[in-house]
Amino acid sequence: PPRSTLFPYTTLFRSGLQSGQALRNIVMDPSDSQAVQNLRKSRDAYDAAYAQLSQGVQGSALAAAVQEMQALRQAQSVAQDRIVMLAAEDYDAAAAALKAEETPAWRKLRSALLQELKAAREAAEVSHVATRASAQRMQLWSGLLALLAVLTSAVMLWVMVRTLRSELGGDPADARKALRRVAEGDLTEA
C-alpha cells in the first residue's frame, strides 16, 4: 500500500484516544457539552478515517484485518453509548462500566490498530523498496539508451564522412579549395 494508507491508521488511533478522553470527561461531568461534542467529533473522525482506510486496502492482504477492526470498534461504541447514558444517572455505575467495558474494548482496538499500522508500514516499506529498484532500473535503461544513441550517431557520422569523401574523391577541404579556384576563374588544376 502507498504511504498515504498509513494516515488513516494514525487518525483512527488519535480519534480512539480522543473519544476515550471525551468519555472520561463526560463521566466526570455529564453536563459538559464540550466533552459531548468532542466525543461526537472524535467518533465522526474515526468513521471517516475508517471509510478511507477500508477503501484504500480493498483487495489487499490488509483488508480482512481492517474489517475485523470494525467489530472491535462497534464493541467500543456500544460501551461508550452505555456509559454516556449511565453518566447522566449514576456516576459510580458509569465509572465502573468505563473500567470494565470501554477500557478493555479500547485496549483490544488499540492493539489491533497498532498491529495493523505496523503491517501497513512494513508493506509500505516493501513497496517503497520495489519502487526505488524499478526507478533505478529505468535510470540504467535510460543511460544505456542514451549511450546507444550517441554510438549510433557517431557511426552514422563516420559513414556519412566516409561516403562524402568517396563521392568527392578525397578530403572535403580539398574539394572546397578546388571549387573556390574554379569560382575565381582559375581552371589550371581542374
Side-chain angles (χ1 to χ4, degrees), residues 16 19-20 23-24 46 68-81 83 97-113:
S19 69
L23 186 63
R24 283 159 181 72
Y46 185 98
E68 289 173 14
M69 284 189 325
Q70 190 62 2
L72 296 173
R73 174 61 177 165
Q74 292 295 50
Q76 183 194 28
S77 292
V78 167
Q80 287 177 341
D81 291 341
I83 292 165
L98 181 66
K99 184 177 179 182
E101 296 173 29
E102 198 276 339
T103 299
W106 165 243
R107 286 181 180 151
K108 286 179 186 176
L109 179 58
R110 180 186 66 196
S111 177
L113 279 168

Short mmCIF file of all heavy atoms in Angstrom, two decimals, residues 16 19-20 23-24 46 68-81 83 97-113:
data_model
loop_
_atom_site.label_atom_id
_atom_site.label_comp_id
_atom_site.label_asym_id
_atom_site.label_seq_id
_atom_site.Cartn_x
_atom_site.Cartn_y
_atom_site.Cartn_z
N GLY A 16 -9.46 7.40 18.52
CA GLY A 16 -9.78 6.49 19.63
C GLY A 16 -9.34 7.06 20.96
O GLY A 16 -10.07 6.99 21.95
N SER A 19 -11.69 10.01 21.81
CA SER A 19 -13.03 9.60 22.26
C SER A 19 -12.98 9.07 23.68
O SER A 19 -13.89 9.32 24.48
CB SER A 19 -13.65 8.57 21.30
OG SER A 19 -12.97 7.33 21.38
N GLY A 20 -11.91 8.37 24.03
CA GLY A 20 -11.76 7.88 25.41
C GLY A 20 -11.64 9.02 26.40
O GLY A 20 -12.25 8.99 27.48
N LEU A 23 -15.01 10.73 26.73
CA LEU A 23 -15.90 9.89 27.52
C LEU A 23 -15.59 10.03 29.01
O LEU A 23 -16.51 10.14 29.83
CB LEU A 23 -15.79 8.43 27.09
CG LEU A 23 -16.75 7.46 27.74
CD1 LEU A 23 -18.20 7.81 27.39
CD2 LEU A 23 -16.44 6.04 27.31
N ARG A 24 -14.33 10.06 29.35
CA ARG A 24 -13.95 10.25 30.76
C ARG A 24 -14.42 11.60 31.27
O ARG A 24 -14.88 11.73 32.41
CB ARG A 24 -12.44 10.06 30.92
CG ARG A 24 -12.05 8.60 30.90
CD ARG A 24 -10.59 8.36 30.55
NE ARG A 24 -10.25 6.95 30.52
CZ ARG A 24 -10.62 6.09 29.60
NH1 ARG A 24 -11.41 6.48 28.60
NH2 ARG A 24 -10.26 4.83 29.64
N TYR A 46 -13.16 9.17 13.40
CA TYR A 46 -12.82 7.74 13.33
C TYR A 46 -13.55 7.09 12.15
O TYR A 46 -12.94 6.38 11.35
CB TYR A 46 -13.18 7.02 14.63
CG TYR A 46 -12.72 5.58 14.64
CD1 TYR A 46 -11.55 5.21 15.25
CD2 TYR A 46 -13.47 4.59 14.00
CE1 TYR A 46 -11.11 3.89 15.24
CE2 TYR A 46 -13.05 3.26 13.98
CZ TYR A 46 -11.87 2.93 14.60
OH TYR A 46 -11.45 1.62 14.57
N GLU A 68 -11.97 -6.67 10.48
CA GLU A 68 -12.09 -7.18 11.86
C GLU A 68 -12.00 -6.04 12.88
O GLU A 68 -12.63 -6.11 13.93
CB GLU A 68 -10.99 -8.21 12.13
CG GLU A 68 -11.20 -9.51 11.40
CD GLU A 68 -10.03 -10.47 11.55
OE1 GLU A 68 -9.16 -10.25 12.42
OE2 GLU A 68 -9.98 -11.45 10.77
N MET A 69 -11.26 -5.00 12.55
CA MET A 69 -11.16 -3.86 13.47
C MET A 69 -12.51 -3.17 13.65
O MET A 69 -12.79 -2.62 14.71
CB MET A 69 -10.14 -2.84 12.95
CG MET A 69 -8.72 -3.27 13.16
SD MET A 69 -7.48 -2.01 12.82
CE MET A 69 -8.12 -1.08 11.48
N GLN A 70 -13.35 -3.24 12.64
CA GLN A 70 -14.65 -2.59 12.74
C GLN A 70 -15.51 -3.24 13.82
O GLN A 70 -16.24 -2.56 14.53
CB GLN A 70 -15.37 -2.59 11.39
CG GLN A 70 -16.60 -1.73 11.34
CD GLN A 70 -16.32 -0.24 11.59
OE1 GLN A 70 -15.20 0.22 11.77
NE2 GLN A 70 -17.38 0.53 11.63
N ALA A 71 -15.41 -4.55 13.97
CA ALA A 71 -16.16 -5.24 15.03
C ALA A 71 -15.67 -4.79 16.40
O ALA A 71 -16.48 -4.59 17.32
CB ALA A 71 -16.01 -6.75 14.88
N LEU A 72 -14.36 -4.60 16.53
CA LEU A 72 -13.82 -4.10 17.80
C LEU A 72 -14.30 -2.68 18.06
O LEU A 72 -14.63 -2.32 19.20
CB LEU A 72 -12.29 -4.14 17.77
CG LEU A 72 -11.65 -5.53 17.68
CD1 LEU A 72 -10.15 -5.42 17.48
CD2 LEU A 72 -11.98 -6.35 18.91
N ARG A 73 -14.37 -1.89 17.01
CA ARG A 73 -14.85 -0.51 17.16
C ARG A 73 -16.32 -0.49 17.56
O ARG A 73 -16.74 0.32 18.39
CB ARG A 73 -14.65 0.25 15.84
CG ARG A 73 -15.24 1.63 15.84
CD ARG A 73 -14.62 2.52 16.89
NE ARG A 73 -15.19 3.85 16.78
CZ ARG A 73 -15.08 4.76 17.69
NH1 ARG A 73 -14.42 4.52 18.80
NH2 ARG A 73 -15.62 5.94 17.51
N GLN A 74 -17.11 -1.39 16.99
CA GLN A 74 -18.54 -1.45 17.35
C GLN A 74 -18.70 -1.78 18.83
O GLN A 74 -19.54 -1.20 19.51
CB GLN A 74 -19.26 -2.49 16.49
CG GLN A 74 -19.37 -2.12 15.03
CD GLN A 74 -20.22 -0.89 14.79
OE1 GLN A 74 -20.04 0.14 15.43
NE2 GLN A 74 -21.15 -0.99 13.87
N ALA A 75 -17.91 -2.72 19.33
CA ALA A 75 -17.97 -3.08 20.75
C ALA A 75 -17.62 -1.88 21.61
O ALA A 75 -18.27 -1.62 22.64
CB ALA A 75 -17.04 -4.25 21.04
N GLN A 76 -16.61 -1.12 21.21
CA GLN A 76 -16.23 0.07 21.97
C GLN A 76 -17.34 1.12 21.91
O GLN A 76 -17.67 1.75 22.92
CB GLN A 76 -14.92 0.66 21.43
CG GLN A 76 -14.46 1.86 22.24
CD GLN A 76 -13.38 2.66 21.56
OE1 GLN A 76 -13.29 2.69 20.33
NE2 GLN A 76 -12.55 3.31 22.35
N SER A 77 -17.95 1.30 20.75
CA SER A 77 -19.02 2.29 20.60
C SER A 77 -20.22 1.95 21.46
O SER A 77 -20.83 2.84 22.09
CB SER A 77 -19.45 2.40 19.13
OG SER A 77 -18.44 2.96 18.37
N VAL A 78 -20.59 0.67 21.50
CA VAL A 78 -21.71 0.24 22.34
C VAL A 78 -21.40 0.55 23.80
O VAL A 78 -22.25 1.07 24.54
CB VAL A 78 -21.99 -1.27 22.13
CG1 VAL A 78 -22.92 -1.82 23.20
CG2 VAL A 78 -22.57 -1.50 20.74
N ALA A 79 -20.17 0.24 24.22
CA ALA A 79 -19.78 0.53 25.61
C ALA A 79 -19.81 2.03 25.87
O ALA A 79 -20.29 2.47 26.94
CB ALA A 79 -18.39 -0.05 25.88
N GLN A 80 -19.35 2.82 24.94
CA GLN A 80 -19.35 4.28 25.11
C GLN A 80 -20.78 4.81 25.24
O GLN A 80 -21.06 5.64 26.11
CB GLN A 80 -18.63 4.96 23.96
CG GLN A 80 -17.13 4.80 24.01
CD GLN A 80 -16.42 5.42 22.82
OE1 GLN A 80 -17.02 5.69 21.77
NE2 GLN A 80 -15.13 5.66 22.96
N ASP A 81 -21.67 4.34 24.38
CA ASP A 81 -23.06 4.80 24.44
C ASP A 81 -23.67 4.45 25.80
O ASP A 81 -24.39 5.26 26.40
CB ASP A 81 -23.88 4.17 23.31
CG ASP A 81 -23.49 4.70 21.94
OD1 ASP A 81 -22.86 5.79 21.87
OD2 ASP A 81 -23.79 4.03 20.93
N ILE A 83 -22.13 4.00 28.64
CA ILE A 83 -21.50 4.81 29.69
C ILE A 83 -22.05 6.23 29.68
O ILE A 83 -22.28 6.83 30.74
CB ILE A 83 -19.97 4.78 29.55
CG1 ILE A 83 -19.47 3.36 29.86
CG2 ILE A 83 -19.29 5.79 30.45
CD1 ILE A 83 -18.06 3.08 29.43
N ALA A 97 -18.48 0.92 34.58
CA ALA A 97 -18.63 0.46 33.20
C ALA A 97 -17.46 0.94 32.33
O ALA A 97 -17.00 0.22 31.45
CB ALA A 97 -19.95 0.95 32.62
N LEU A 98 -16.99 2.14 32.62
CA LEU A 98 -15.83 2.66 31.90
C LEU A 98 -14.64 1.73 32.10
O LEU A 98 -13.96 1.36 31.14
CB LEU A 98 -15.50 4.07 32.39
CG LEU A 98 -14.33 4.78 31.74
CD1 LEU A 98 -14.63 5.08 30.28
CD2 LEU A 98 -14.00 6.06 32.48
N LYS A 99 -14.44 1.35 33.33
CA LYS A 99 -13.30 0.48 33.67
C LYS A 99 -13.50 -0.94 33.15
O LYS A 99 -12.56 -1.55 32.63
CB LYS A 99 -13.10 0.47 35.19
CG LYS A 99 -11.91 -0.31 35.63
CD LYS A 99 -11.73 -0.23 37.14
CE LYS A 99 -10.53 -1.06 37.58
NZ LYS A 99 -10.36 -1.02 39.02
N ALA A 100 -14.70 -1.47 33.28
CA ALA A 100 -14.95 -2.88 32.94
C ALA A 100 -15.28 -3.11 31.47
O ALA A 100 -15.04 -4.21 30.96
CB ALA A 100 -16.09 -3.41 33.80
N GLU A 101 -15.82 -2.10 30.77
CA GLU A 101 -16.28 -2.31 29.40
C GLU A 101 -15.49 -1.52 28.35
O GLU A 101 -14.93 -2.09 27.42
CB GLU A 101 -17.76 -1.95 29.28
CG GLU A 101 -18.67 -2.84 30.12
CD GLU A 101 -20.11 -2.36 30.13
OE1 GLU A 101 -20.53 -1.74 29.12
OE2 GLU A 101 -20.80 -2.59 31.13
N GLU A 102 -15.47 -0.19 28.53
CA GLU A 102 -14.89 0.64 27.48
C GLU A 102 -13.36 0.52 27.44
O GLU A 102 -12.78 0.39 26.37
CB GLU A 102 -15.29 2.11 27.68
CG GLU A 102 -15.09 2.97 26.43
CD GLU A 102 -13.69 3.52 26.23
OE1 GLU A 102 -12.91 3.60 27.22
OE2 GLU A 102 -13.34 3.88 25.09
N THR A 103 -12.72 0.55 28.59
CA THR A 103 -11.26 0.46 28.61
C THR A 103 -10.75 -0.84 27.99
O THR A 103 -9.85 -0.80 27.14
CB THR A 103 -10.71 0.67 30.04
OG1 THR A 103 -11.11 1.98 30.49
CG2 THR A 103 -9.19 0.57 30.08
N PRO A 104 -11.31 -2.01 28.36
CA PRO A 104 -10.85 -3.24 27.68
C PRO A 104 -11.16 -3.24 26.18
O PRO A 104 -10.36 -3.74 25.38
CB PRO A 104 -11.61 -4.36 28.40
CG PRO A 104 -12.01 -3.78 29.72
CD PRO A 104 -12.19 -2.32 29.48
N ALA A 105 -12.32 -2.67 25.80
CA ALA A 105 -12.67 -2.61 24.37
C ALA A 105 -11.66 -1.74 23.63
O ALA A 105 -11.22 -2.10 22.52
CB ALA A 105 -14.08 -2.07 24.20
N TRP A 106 -11.27 -0.60 24.24
CA TRP A 106 -10.28 0.27 23.61
C TRP A 106 -8.93 -0.43 23.52
O TRP A 106 -8.23 -0.33 22.52
CB TRP A 106 -10.15 1.59 24.35
CG TRP A 106 -8.91 2.35 23.96
CD1 TRP A 106 -7.87 2.69 24.76
CD2 TRP A 106 -8.55 2.83 22.65
NE1 TRP A 106 -6.90 3.34 24.05
CE2 TRP A 106 -7.30 3.45 22.74
CE3 TRP A 106 -9.17 2.79 21.42
CZ2 TRP A 106 -6.65 4.03 21.66
CZ3 TRP A 106 -8.54 3.37 20.33
CH2 TRP A 106 -7.30 3.99 20.45
N ARG A 107 -8.55 -1.15 24.56
CA ARG A 107 -7.26 -1.85 24.53
C ARG A 107 -7.20 -2.87 23.39
O ARG A 107 -6.17 -3.00 22.73
CB ARG A 107 -6.99 -2.52 25.87
CG ARG A 107 -6.60 -1.51 26.94
CD ARG A 107 -6.31 -2.18 28.26
NE ARG A 107 -5.95 -1.16 29.25
CZ ARG A 107 -6.16 -1.27 30.54
NH1 ARG A 107 -6.71 -2.38 31.04
NH2 ARG A 107 -5.81 -0.32 31.35
N LYS A 108 -8.29 -3.58 23.18
CA LYS A 108 -8.33 -4.55 22.07
C LYS A 108 -8.22 -3.83 20.73
O LYS A 108 -7.47 -4.24 19.84
CB LYS A 108 -9.61 -5.37 22.12
CG LYS A 108 -9.65 -6.41 23.21
CD LYS A 108 -10.97 -7.16 23.19
CE LYS A 108 -11.08 -8.11 24.36
NZ LYS A 108 -12.41 -8.75 24.41
N LEU A 109 -8.99 -2.76 20.60
CA LEU A 109 -8.96 -2.00 19.36
C LEU A 109 -7.58 -1.36 19.15
O LEU A 109 -7.03 -1.41 18.05
CB LEU A 109 -10.05 -0.92 19.37
CG LEU A 109 -10.12 -0.02 18.14
CD1 LEU A 109 -10.31 -0.83 16.86
CD2 LEU A 109 -11.24 1.01 18.31
N ARG A 110 -7.03 -0.80 20.21
CA ARG A 110 -5.71 -0.17 20.12
C ARG A 110 -4.66 -1.20 19.69
O ARG A 110 -3.82 -0.93 18.83
CB ARG A 110 -5.33 0.44 21.46
CG ARG A 110 -3.96 1.11 21.44
CD ARG A 110 -3.53 1.57 22.80
NE ARG A 110 -3.33 0.38 23.64
CZ ARG A 110 -3.25 0.40 24.95
NH1 ARG A 110 -3.37 1.53 25.61
NH2 ARG A 110 -3.06 -0.71 25.64
N SER A 111 -4.72 -2.37 20.28
CA SER A 111 -3.78 -3.43 19.92
C SER A 111 -3.91 -3.79 18.43
O SER A 111 -2.90 -3.93 17.73
CB SER A 111 -4.02 -4.66 20.79
OG SER A 111 -3.18 -5.70 20.41
N ALA A 112 -5.14 -3.93 17.96
CA ALA A 112 -5.36 -4.25 16.55
C ALA A 112 -4.87 -3.11 15.66
O ALA A 112 -4.25 -3.36 14.62
CB ALA A 112 -6.84 -4.53 16.30
N LEU A 113 -5.14 -1.88 16.07
CA LEU A 113 -4.68 -0.72 15.28
C LEU A 113 -3.16 -0.69 15.18
O LEU A 113 -2.61 -0.50 14.10
CB LEU A 113 -5.17 0.58 15.92
CG LEU A 113 -6.59 1.00 15.64
CD1 LEU A 113 -7.02 2.13 16.57
CD2 LEU A 113 -6.74 1.42 14.20
#
